[in-house]
């Protein structure tokens, strides 16, 4: 039987389908107003299946269809270790939050930190900044990669940064240079989170923001070590939930 | 279908699904104020009947629905904003019912403490009004460094005024900056909005110079209620002790003046004995609570420690001992509040003032039990007693000061005693992990968490620091953190 892992985030629902231990499908969709209905529609093609849930909406999922729930922290730990078995540090940057997780050599969570109170350092922040420069997300990263200019950005608060972008543009800075500065500022913040918790072992970078190649590049430079990015980085949590359930069967 | 295997879901996981009730007391903003007109006679008549009502005999068998009682006439007599405040008891009744009364297999002797909550805005306030009528002033405090033995010796009534509700914060934010501790804002807002009967009943407030938020707020609070300030040093050297003793002596004079009574040696001796007794009762209770499996829930323990700040000390002590006797028997009979395998969590950090039950509720709804509070509304209040050796007033005041100097608030530097104390309490309570709780913008506890984390890492103690305020917004995030921490502990 298929084992499904669902990660019900505040903005998107991600699904990972396992068959005999192998990832056979991965999908994602906007959460919408009724996340559990959206999730049910996503599950439908795989029925009959056994389902585990994680993410913000995990308890809601348990009410409706999931037989097991685990937190995002544990789910990411399992998902990341599935990709890189020596992983001991995880950086996950999703739409609404970012987290760093530190694992012991056996893969057990030893410490974690979540930034979920402010938009800075999340996918949402990147979206707002891209939009204020008139880019979509791929263009935003691509433009940043073309710049070599340093522009000082003072504010990492999503509210203030937006007006700062406007004022930088008014002062004549090129959008690509501003884009680069924003990426650098976010990277700085994420590196700070990682250093606080302490970098150990192999590092996995997951979450939708891991698809941003420029951010990944400067993070690797700043950290001075390679980052492992799963092929579908946003389903790491969903995959972890599915793996968890499979292990209990 | 897979639903079959759902039967194997542990009850613990089922509990997690329970919705988390968070107290979001709403105080509608003040519109056209309408007051009940109260004649003086009515107030006196009520006062007589209320007296009987506060004898705390819960009639067994008849299960009347729990209710936090209102007394609009009493509130009006205290110049409260009755229109706004009258929504509070129903909201709080609801929160209390769902958080506390929904628990299974609670100790029976919790009935007294439930009754104290039921009477919190009526009967207990009436008692204070009556005390005032007998010439016993009510002194409000905000910190466990203010020596209540002295208030007791002067025949005054001492009441803790720390605020734990989000409802009064908008009132405070009209005046105070937003980015300060919610406890300070909540308390200040209660006074400014006239929406706390305790604040309305006090004659004076005795503040102290612990953290900046409080120290500077006293200057503003003085516009609303006479506010005295006791200087608490920031270090604990010999010269600080000298200053501290002098401050205690000044405090005594101010209280004597307020209460119009000179404290005799015998008065102080007696009050020290009474309050030592209260602290010892709480020590006994906490000791019993440390038993695995827990004979009492963390929320009930928090509640009792909160009530300690507004109940009459001798009555409270007696009731705590009665509860202890029951817990003793429960332990012998193997009657626990949760199975032995329930994860045990200790809290350290900033105080949780009434009705701040947020974190305990989240933790215990996630299938764990809270087994200790290293907090001012917790062990910091009762871990030390006063040496009763003092032969004369000077010696007694010195012994008293020495006891107060043992309180290990993060406002002090260095404060390594606290780190050791946290580890000691962790071991004594049989906890499996520590959740350190910092109220938002409380810098000293927030920074001290760094040292605490290091110490815990060294000792191999699972540790998680969280920062929160009174708003319900971060409940989902806290729930995730707490559950992830429990997963971490359980491996
Ligand atoms: S935390 Fe410090 S300042 Fe606050 S009540 Fe306790 S001892 Fe006083
Ligand atoms: S919790 Fe911290 S900031 Fe708040 S009143 Fe106590 S010491 Fe001050």
């Amino acid at each position: 039987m298929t084992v499904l892992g669902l990660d019900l985030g505040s903005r998107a629902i991600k699904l990972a389908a396992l068959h005999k231990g192998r990832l056979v499908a991965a999908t994602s969709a906007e959460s919408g107003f009724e996340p559990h209905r959206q999730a049910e529609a996503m599950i439908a093609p795989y029925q009959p299946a056994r389902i585990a849930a994680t993410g913000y909406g995990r308890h809601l999922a348990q009410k409706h269809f999931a037989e097991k729930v685990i937190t995002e922290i544990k789910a990411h730990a399992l998902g990341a270790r599935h990709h890189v078995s020596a992983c001991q540090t995880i950086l996950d940057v999703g739409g609404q939050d970012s987290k760093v997780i530190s694992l012991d050599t056996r893969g057990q969570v030893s410490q974690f930190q979540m930034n979920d109170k402010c938009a800075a350092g999340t996918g949402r922040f990147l979206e707002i900044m891209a939009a204020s420069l008139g880019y979509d997300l791929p263009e935003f990263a691509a433009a940043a990669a073309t710049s070599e200019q340093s522009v000082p950005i003072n504010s990492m608060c999503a509210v203030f940064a937006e007006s700062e972008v406007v004022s930088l543009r008014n002062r004549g800075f090129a959008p690509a240079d501003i884009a680069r500065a924003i990426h650098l500022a976010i990277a700085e913040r994420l590196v700070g989170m990682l250093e606080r918790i302490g970098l150990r072992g192999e590092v996995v970078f997951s979450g939708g923001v891991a698809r941003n190649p420029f951010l990944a590049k400067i993070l690797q430079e700043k950290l001075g070590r390679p980052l492992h990015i799963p092929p579908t980085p946003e389903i790491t949590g969903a995959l972890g939930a599915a793996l968890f359930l499979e292990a209990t069967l | 279908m897979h639903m079959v295997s759902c039967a194997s879901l542990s009850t613990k996981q089922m509990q997690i699904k329970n919705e988390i009730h968070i107290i979001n007391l709403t105080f509608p903003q003040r519109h056209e104020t309408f007051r009940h007109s109260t004649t003086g006679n009515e107030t006196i008549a009520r006062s007589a009947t209320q007296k009987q009502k506060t004898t705390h005999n819960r009639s067994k068998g008849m299960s009347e629905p729990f209710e936090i009682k209102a007394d609009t006439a009493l509130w009006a007599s205290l110049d409260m904003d009755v229109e706004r405040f009258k929504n509070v008891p129903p909201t709080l009744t609801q929160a209390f019912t769902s958080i506390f009364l929904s628990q299974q297999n609670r100790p029976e002797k919790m009935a007294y403490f439930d009754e104290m909550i039921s009477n919190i805005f009526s009967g207990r306030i009436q008692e204070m009004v009556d005390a005032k009528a007998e010439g016993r002033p009510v002194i409000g405090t905000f910190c466990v460094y203010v020596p209540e033995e002295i208030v007791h010796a002067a025949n005054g009534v001492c009441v803790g005024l720390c605020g734990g509700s989000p409802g009064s914060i908008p009132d405070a934010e009209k005046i105070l900056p937003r980015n300060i501790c919610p406890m300070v804002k909540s308390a200040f807002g209660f006074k400014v909005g006239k929406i706390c009967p305790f604040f309305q009943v006090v004659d004076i407030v005795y503040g102290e110079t612990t953290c900046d938020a409080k120290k500077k707020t006293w200057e503003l609070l003085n516009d609303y209620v006479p506010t005295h300030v006791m200087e608490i040093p920031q270090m604990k050297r010999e010269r600080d002790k000298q200053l501290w003793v002098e401050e205690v002596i000044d405090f005594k004079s101010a209280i004597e003046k307020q209460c119009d009574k000179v404290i005799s040696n015998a008065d102080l001796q007696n009050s020290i004995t009474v309050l030592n007794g209260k602290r010892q009762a709480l020590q006994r209770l906490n000791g019993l609570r440390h038993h695995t499996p827990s004979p009492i829930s963390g929320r009930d323990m928090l509640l009792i420690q909160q009530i300690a700040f507004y109940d009459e000390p001798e009555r409270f002590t007696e009731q705590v001992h009665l509860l202890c006797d029951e817990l003793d028997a429960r332990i012998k009979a193997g009657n626990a509040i949760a199975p032995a395998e329930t994860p045990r969590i200790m809290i350290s950090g900033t105080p949780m003032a009434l009705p701040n039950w947020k974190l305990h509720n989240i933790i215990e709804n996630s299938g764990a039990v809270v087994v200790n509070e290293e907090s001012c509304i917790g062990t910091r209040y009762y871990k030390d007693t006063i040496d009763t050796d003092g032969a004369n007033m000077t010696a007694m005041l010195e012994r008293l000061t020495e006891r107060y100097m043992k309180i290990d608030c993060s406002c002090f530097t260095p404060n390594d005693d606290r780190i050791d104390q946290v580890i000691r309490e962790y071991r004594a309570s049989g906890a499996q992990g520590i959740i350190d709780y910092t109220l938002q913008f409380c810098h000293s506890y927030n920074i001290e968490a760094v040292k605490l984390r290091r110490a815990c890492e060294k000792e191999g103690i699972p540790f998680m620091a969280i920062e929160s305020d009174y708003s319900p917004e971060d409940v989902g995030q806290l729930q995730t953190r707490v559950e992830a921490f429990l997963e971490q502990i359980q491996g």
Side-chain angles (χ1 to χ4, degrees):
Chain A
M1 195 185 285
T2 311
V3 176
L4 298 181
L6 260 90
D7 180 354
L8 294 97
S10 47
R11 298 183 68 205
I13 299 173
K14 283 83 64 176
L15 175 147
L18 284 183
H19 198 76
K20 297 200 175 116
R22 281 194 45 239
L23 181 65
V24 291
T27 57
S28 69
E30 299 260 312
S31 300
F33 290 112
E34 283 191 301
H36 75 275
R37 294 213 189 288
Q38 176 69 278
E40 275 163 351
M42 291 168 75
I43 297 163
Y46 303 96
Q47 292 286 26
R50 306 190 62 155
I51 306 168
T54 185
Y56 184 69
R58 64 193 178 282
H59 294 305
L60 183 72
Q62 194 175 32
K63 237 180 226 163
H64 293 281
F65 51 78
E67 68 179 280
K68 284 255 176 343
V69 294
I70 56 172
T71 66
E72 298 90 296
I73 304 296
K74 187 167 186 165
H76 277 87
L78 293 168
R81 290 284 280 206
H82 182 76
H83 285 294
V84 181
S85 58
C87 166
Q88 279 191 264
T89 306
I90 301 160
L91 170 65
D92 178 79
V93 186
Q96 296 283 50
D97 69 1
S98 45
K99 44 187 164 287
V100 290
I101 306 166
S102 171
L103 308 178
D104 64 19
T105 45
R106 296 169 305 140
Q108 301 283 346
V109 174
S110 58
Q111 223 195 107
F112 61 92
Q113 264 178 26
M114 297 169 79
N115 160 36
D116 44 23
K117 283 221 168 130
C118 89
T122 69
R124 180 87 196 113
F125 182 73
L126 281 169
E127 271 172 32
I128 297 171
M129 293 301 103
S132 69
L133 289 166
Y135 292 128
D136 66 18
L137 280 175
E139 287 166 357
F140 184 48
T146 64
S147 160
E148 280 174 6
Q149 184 78 30
S150 297
V151 177
I153 288 257
N154 297 322
S155 181
M156 273 300 289
C157 166
V159 180
F160 295 117
E162 205 173 350
S163 63
E164 199 176 342
V165 166
V166 173
S167 95
L168 287 169
R169 291 205 64 182
N170 290 342
R171 280 159 57 200
F173 287 101
D177 296 339
I178 303 174
R180 178 173 181 269
I182 292 166
H183 279 82
L184 286 173
I186 290 181
E188 197 75 54
R189 203 179 168 104
L190 296 175
V191 166
M193 272 175 83
L194 281 165
E195 279 172 352
R196 244 179 111 86
I197 208 162
L199 279 166
R200 299 192 289 196
E202 297 298 320
V203 187
V204 167
F205 182 20
S206 65
V209 172
R211 285 188 181 274
N212 180 318
F214 184 64
L215 187 65
K217 176 174 167 273
I218 52 178
L219 277 172
Q220 310 209 40
E221 283 167 14
K222 281 184 191 282
L223 294 171
R225 59 167 86 201
L227 294 179
H228 300 276
I229 301 173
T232 338
E234 64 277 8
I235 62 133
T236 309
L239 174 64
L243 289 165
F244 173 76
L245 178 56
E246 202 184 49
T248 65
L249 297 181
Chain B
M1 277 280 295
H2 70 257
M3 283 302 163
V4 185
S5 68
C6 272
S8 67
L9 263 183
S10 67
T11 49
K12 218 179 290 165
Q13 269 169 316
M14 298 298 282
Q15 280 167 16
I16 298 176
K17 294 201 300 188
N18 284 355
E19 263 136 66
I20 306 281
H21 293 269
I22 280 299
I23 324 93
N24 191 12
L25 295 187
T26 41
F27 293 78
Q29 286 313 299
R30 205 191 159 98
H31 41 254
E32 260 319 287
T33 317
F34 142 83
R35 289 184 193 288
H36 290 272
S37 59
T38 326
T39 65
N41 287 343
E42 263 174 43
T43 316
I44 293 162
R46 291 190 73 86
S47 151
T49 51
Q50 278 292 348
K51 240 187 189 156
Q52 256 102 60
K53 282 196 206 155
T54 48
T55 44
H56 305 287
N57 291 323
R58 181 184 255 195
S59 50
K60 277 269 173 62
M62 313 252 297
S63 57
E64 271 174 51
F66 173 86
E67 191 198 7
I68 293 175
K69 293 189 206 106
D71 191 337
T72 47
L74 175 67
W75 300 338
S77 74
L78 294 170
D79 187 29
M80 286 183 68
D81 190 336
V82 176
E83 262 315 283
R84 276 186 70 194
F85 189 68
K86 74 180 189 200
N87 301 297
V88 174
T91 326
L92 203 57
T93 298
Q94 225 186 345
F96 189 80
T97 306
S98 82
I99 296 173
F100 289 91
L101 304 180
S102 63
Q103 299 177 84
Q104 301 294 314
N105 193 22
R106 273 178 105 207
E108 274 183 26
K109 291 287 185 273
M110 281 308 295
Y112 168 80
F113 302 98
D114 293 346
E115 195 77 6
M116 275 310 291
I117 292 292
S118 173
N119 285 318
I120 183 168
F121 302 135
S122 53
R124 182 61 187 139
I125 301 295
Q126 187 62 56
E127 286 181 337
M128 292 188 181
V129 170
D130 295 345
K132 281 160 68 114
E134 290 161 15
R136 302 176 56 205
V138 180
I139 316 294
T141 63
F142 294 92
C143 177
V144 295
Y145 280 117
V146 177
E148 62 178 299
E149 287 82 358
I150 291 176
V151 178
H152 189 266
N155 212 11
V157 179
C158 192
V159 58
L161 290 177
C162 289
S165 161
S168 57
I169 288 181
D171 292 83
E173 286 179 350
K174 285 181 194 157
I175 298 164
L176 291 175
R178 300 187 63 204
N179 53 350
I180 60 171
C181 168
M183 189 143 72
V184 175
K185 283 191 286 190
S186 171
F188 186 72
F190 276 133
K191 182 66 214 175
V192 173
K194 300 183 178 177
I195 43 178
C196 170
F198 288 98
F199 240 121
Q200 294 307 102
V201 87
V202 299
D203 292 281
I204 59 164
V205 158
Y206 230 106
E208 70 321 305
T209 59
T210 44
C211 68
D212 290 351
K214 291 206 277 184
K215 174 168 78 184
K216 297 307 284 183
T217 299
W218 307 148
E219 295 173 19
L220 302 174
L221 187 65
N222 192 39
D223 292 344
Y224 304 86
V225 54
T227 306
H228 300 238
V229 181
M230 174 177 187
E231 178 166 0
I232 304 291
Q234 311 210 329
M235 297 178 82
K236 291 177 179 171
R237 299 159 305 182
E238 197 46 41
R239 71 184 99 151
D240 300 306
K241 183 180 170 188
Q242 293 311 315
L243 171 105
W244 205 325
V245 170
E246 282 169 36
E247 286 292 317
V248 167
I249 292 169
D250 285 357
F251 177 76
K252 176 173 161 281
S253 314
I255 296 298
E256 284 176 330
K257 193 163 157 235
Q258 188 69 36
C259 296
D260 198 18
K261 176 179 168 26
V262 175
I263 298 173
S264 70
N265 287 2
D267 291 333
L268 187 56
Q269 191 86 55
N270 171 54
S271 297
I272 287 174
T273 310
V274 167
L275 284 143
N276 276 352
K278 181 182 177 186
R279 300 190 210 274
Q280 279 153 353
L282 286 164
Q283 287 170 9
R284 180 183 170 208
L285 179 61
N286 209 40
L288 288 165
R289 172 236 198 144
H290 287 166
H291 189 266
T292 309
S294 299
I296 184 168
S297 70
R299 316 171 230 189
D300 279 337
M301 281 298 297
L302 175 63
L303 185 74
I304 296 166
Q305 296 168 105
Q306 289 170 331
I307 290 171
F309 286 84
Y310 74 89
D311 198 2
E312 198 282 312
E314 281 156 292
R315 179 174 67 196
F316 177 82
T317 304
E318 198 186 309
Q319 292 293 334
V320 169
H321 279 301
L322 289 176
L323 174 63
C324 288
D325 295 342
E326 185 187 352
L327 296 191
D328 238 339
R330 274 169 83 102
I331 290 170
K332 289 201 183 90
N335 186 359
I337 194 79
E341 62 274 15
T342 310
R344 298 167 68 85
I345 299 295
M346 162 173 158
I347 309 276
S348 61
T350 50
M352 296 167 174
L354 263 174
N356 180 8
W357 304 310
K358 186 170 162 180
L359 186 59
H360 280 63
N361 194 29
I362 291 172
I363 295 173
E364 297 201 331
N365 272 305
S366 301
V369 59
V370 180
V371 294
N372 195 67
E373 292 83 17
E374 187 273 334
S375 163
C376 292
I377 300 184
T379 55
R380 272 203 289 282
Y381 177 65
Y382 53 78
K383 71 180 172 66
D384 311 303
T385 51
I386 298 172
D387 190 335
T388 47
D389 273 0
N392 53 42
M393 187 57 79
T394 315
M396 273 191 282
L397 291 177
E398 199 172 320
R399 293 297 88 78
L400 179 146
T401 308
E402 283 160 2
R403 181 262 165 200
Y404 278 86
M405 285 182 75
K406 286 190 200 146
I407 302 173
D408 43 13
C409 173
S410 67
C411 294
F412 280 84
T413 188
N415 197 34
D416 294 338
D417 286 350
R418 173 164 175 247
I419 312 289
D420 300 339
Q421 180 66 20
V422 168
I423 309 271
R424 254 200 307 280
E425 290 183 20
Y426 173 81
R427 304 249 183 261
S429 63
Q432 292 158 288
I434 297 178
I435 297 184
D436 187 64
Y437 174 74
T438 297
L439 282 167
Q440 218 172 23
F441 307 114
C442 175
H443 305 315
S444 60
Y445 279 92
N446 205 1
I447 296 170
E448 200 155 281
V450 175
K451 277 199 137 180
L452 216 45
R453 174 187 294 285
R454 286 184 193 148
C456 286
E457 266 164 18
K458 215 173 110 208
E459 300 282 328
I461 300 171
F463 177 88
M464 176 171 74
I466 61 160
E467 215 187 323
S468 184
D469 61 8
Y470 300 159
S471 77
E473 278 155 39
D474 61 351
V475 168
Q477 292 137 2
L478 287 180
Q479 220 177 328
T480 301
R481 273 172 218 227
V482 166
E483 285 173 31
F485 188 61
L486 297 179
E487 287 172 346
Q488 185 186 329
I489 287 174
Q490 292 169 308

